[in-house]
């Protein structure tokens, strides 16, 4: 067997074993086959709309992945991130980690409308739309090696929390200890932290998010910092964009290579690699040189994150509009 064929075969074995290991530990009421009978077209419709949206604008794939992440880290994967403010609660969209930075709400609306039309009624939850759209974005931008089975059957929250969003989402200035503690509080370990941070291999972010790093951090490549200062002045230009790595429209492992060169755009990302031989360093090194290992790890960590406190059974609801609760 040729070396490249053997590597691919090994990758398939790793994916299979990882899936077998992870899925039995997830929430028992979620299933990859949840919509097979009630709406067998659902997943195909979601992928079709996501693909069209990414063709219109590559950056939207990163935005959809981020929506799922920011949803799950706040009171579980329940689509609370999508709710607009109401007289009874201040939603998550204007929380500090989300305000003027989260995108893709219009694409979620488009997906929801298309899938409800195909299913002839609202049977697919907004929370499941986010989970599937995140997976589809990754596979469209990175290739089939990043495909994984999404467990389905989540229901949608009837409220949201501005305070919870501020308290549960990792800001870009967190240090390593803070990151590990936050992920552990959500049932995620060090490997999950390093793997899920790899989602920063796609997309871009505003100057205001990384300004402090390029002017004050020492664990940063000086030429990299100097180039970014041309985009991001000390004062002003807060909404100027910089790519998260050098291939922002491709889901790959360049993010990890960048960390090893001290070119992580976020302080929090660079905290994953300090060159001190730590367990985190070793994971970054592994994924930078072995894309098969990263691909095999990414799906299981996404499944694990996607099972943070889902609403199932009679809890929550299936929203007709992802932006507001039913009968509002």
């Amino acid at each position: 067997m040729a070396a490249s064929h053997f590597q691919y075969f090994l990758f398939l074995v790793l994916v299979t074993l990882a899936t077998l290991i992870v899925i039995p530990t997830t929430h028992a009421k979620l299933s990859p086959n949840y919509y097979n009978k009630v709406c067998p077209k659902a997943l195909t419709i979601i992928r079709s709309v996501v693909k069209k949206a990414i063709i219109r604008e590559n950056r939207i794939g990163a935005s959809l992945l981020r929506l799922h992440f920011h949803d799950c880290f706040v009171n579980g994967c329940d689509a609370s991130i999508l709710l607009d403010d109401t007289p009874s609660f201040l939603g998550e969209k204007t929380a500090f980690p989300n305000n003027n930075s989260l995108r893709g709400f219009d694409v979620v609306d488009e997906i929801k409308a298309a899938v409800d039309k195909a299913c002839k009624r609202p049977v697919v939850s907004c929370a499941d739309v986010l989970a599937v759209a995140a997976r589809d974005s990754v596979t469209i931008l990175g290739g089939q090696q990043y495909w994984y089975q999404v467990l389905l059957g989540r229901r949608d929250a009837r409220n949201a929390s501005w305070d919870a969003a501020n308290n549960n989402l990792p800001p870009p200035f967190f240090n390593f200890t803070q990151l590990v503690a936050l992920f552990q509080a959500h049932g995620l370990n060090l490997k999950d932290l390093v793997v899920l941070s790899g989602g920063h291999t796609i997309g871009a972010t505003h100057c205001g998010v990384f300004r402090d790093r390029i002017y004050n951090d020492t664990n940063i490549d000086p030429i990299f910092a100097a180039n970014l200062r041309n985009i991001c002045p000390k004062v002003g230009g807060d909404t100027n964009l910089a790519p998260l790595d050098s291939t922002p429209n491709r889901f790959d492992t360049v993010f990890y290579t960048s960390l090893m060169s001290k070119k992580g755009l976020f302080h929090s990302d660079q905290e994953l690699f300090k060159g001190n031989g730590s367990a985190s360093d070793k994971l970054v090194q592994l994924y930078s040189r072995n894309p098969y290992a990263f691909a095999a790890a990414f799906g299981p960590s996404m499944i694990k994150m996607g099972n943070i406190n889902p609403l199932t059974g009679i809890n929550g609801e299936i929203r007709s509009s992802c932006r507001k609760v039913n009968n509002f």
Side-chain angles (χ1 to χ4, degrees), residues 312-327:
T312 58
I314 61 172
N315 298 314
E317 64 182 13
I318 306 298
R319 288 188 219 138
S320 295
S321 167
C322 290
R323 294 175 183 259
K324 60 184 182 180
V325 300
N326 294 340
N327 303 317

Side-chain angles (χ1 to χ4, degrees), residues 41-327:
K41 298 178 181 178
L43 300 191
T44 301
I45 295 294
I46 294 172
R47 181 179 176 85
S48 175
V49 178
V50 170
K51 188 173 183 178
K52 289 175 183 176
I54 289 175
I55 289 172
R56 290 196 303 265
E57 184 207 0
N58 273 338
R59 189 179 162 212
I60 204 65
S63 300
L64 292 172
L65 177 60
R66 189 164 179 246
L67 276 176
H68 180 45
F69 185 102
H70 281 226
D71 180 42
C72 290
F73 262 61
V74 182
N75 296 331
C77 307
D78 58 6
S80 58
I81 188 71
L82 303 176
L83 289 172
D84 293 334
D85 296 346
T86 75
S88 61
F89 65 77
L90 186 61
E92 299 164 24
K93 291 180 178 179
T94 57
F96 295 119
N98 297 333
N99 195 30
N100 297 320
S101 66
L102 284 186
R103 312 169 63 249
F105 297 110
D106 54 338
V107 176
V108 173
D109 292 340
E110 189 180 348
I111 295 169
K112 177 66 171 167
V115 80
D116 283 358
K117 181 179 179 180
C119 301
K120 297 185 170 56
R121 64 196 190 283
V123 295
V124 180
S125 69
C126 300
D128 278 349
V129 165
L130 289 181
V132 177
R135 189 273 312 276
D136 290 345
S137 295
V138 167
T139 55
I140 290 167
L141 293 172
Q144 198 63 20
Q145 66 267 31
Y146 291 106
W147 186 91
Y148 56 92
Q149 273 195 324
V150 178
L151 300 184
L152 302 164
R154 299 168 189 81
R155 288 167 65 84
D156 300 322
R158 293 185 56 83
N159 52 52
S161 173
W162 185 84
D163 287 334
N166 283 318
N167 293 331
N168 286 281
L169 291 168
F173 54 80
F174 258 19
N175 63 35
F176 180 75
T177 301
Q178 291 170 314
L179 290 169
V180 171
L182 181 61
F183 271 65
Q184 285 180 341
H186 289 82
L188 302 171
N189 59 29
L190 173 62
K191 183 178 180 181
D192 298 318
L193 165 61
V194 177
V195 170
L196 293 173
S197 296
H200 286 166
T201 190
I202 52 174
T205 195
H206 293 142
C207 159
V209 177
F210 62 85
R211 176 184 284 118
D212 189 63
R213 169 155 168 74
I214 63 174
Y215 287 100
N216 298 313
D217 273 10
T218 57
N219 188 23
I220 188 169
D221 178 83
I223 296 176
F224 176 69
N227 289 336
L228 286 169
R229 289 176 194 139
N230 293 326
I231 299 171
C232 184
K234 280 190 174 181
V235 179
D238 284 4
T239 59
N240 293 351
L241 287 173
L244 290 174
D245 73 12
S246 60
T247 57
N249 296 324
R250 180 73 183 171
F251 198 90
D252 53 27
T253 57
V254 170
F255 168 79
Y256 297 107
T257 306
S258 300
L259 296 186
M260 292 177 63
S261 302
K262 299 183 180 181
K263 295 179 181 178
L265 189 60
F266 295 160
H267 175 87
S268 56
D269 284 340
Q270 193 60 57
E271 284 288 288
L272 302 180
F273 186 84
K274 296 182 179 180
N276 58 11
S278 67
S280 178
D281 275 13
K282 290 176 182 177
L283 285 168
V284 170
Q285 290 168 333
L286 171 64
Y287 299 142
S288 70
R289 66 174 183 263
N290 190 337
Y292 296 109
F294 175 57
F298 186 77
S301 285
M302 285 293 289
I303 292 170
K304 193 173 176 182
M305 184 187 76
N307 283 273
I308 297 175
N309 297 327
L311 297 173
T312 58
I314 61 172
N315 298 314
E317 64 182 13
I318 306 298
R319 288 188 219 138
S320 295
S321 167
C322 290
R323 294 175 183 259
K324 60 184 182 180
V325 300
N326 294 340
N327 303 317

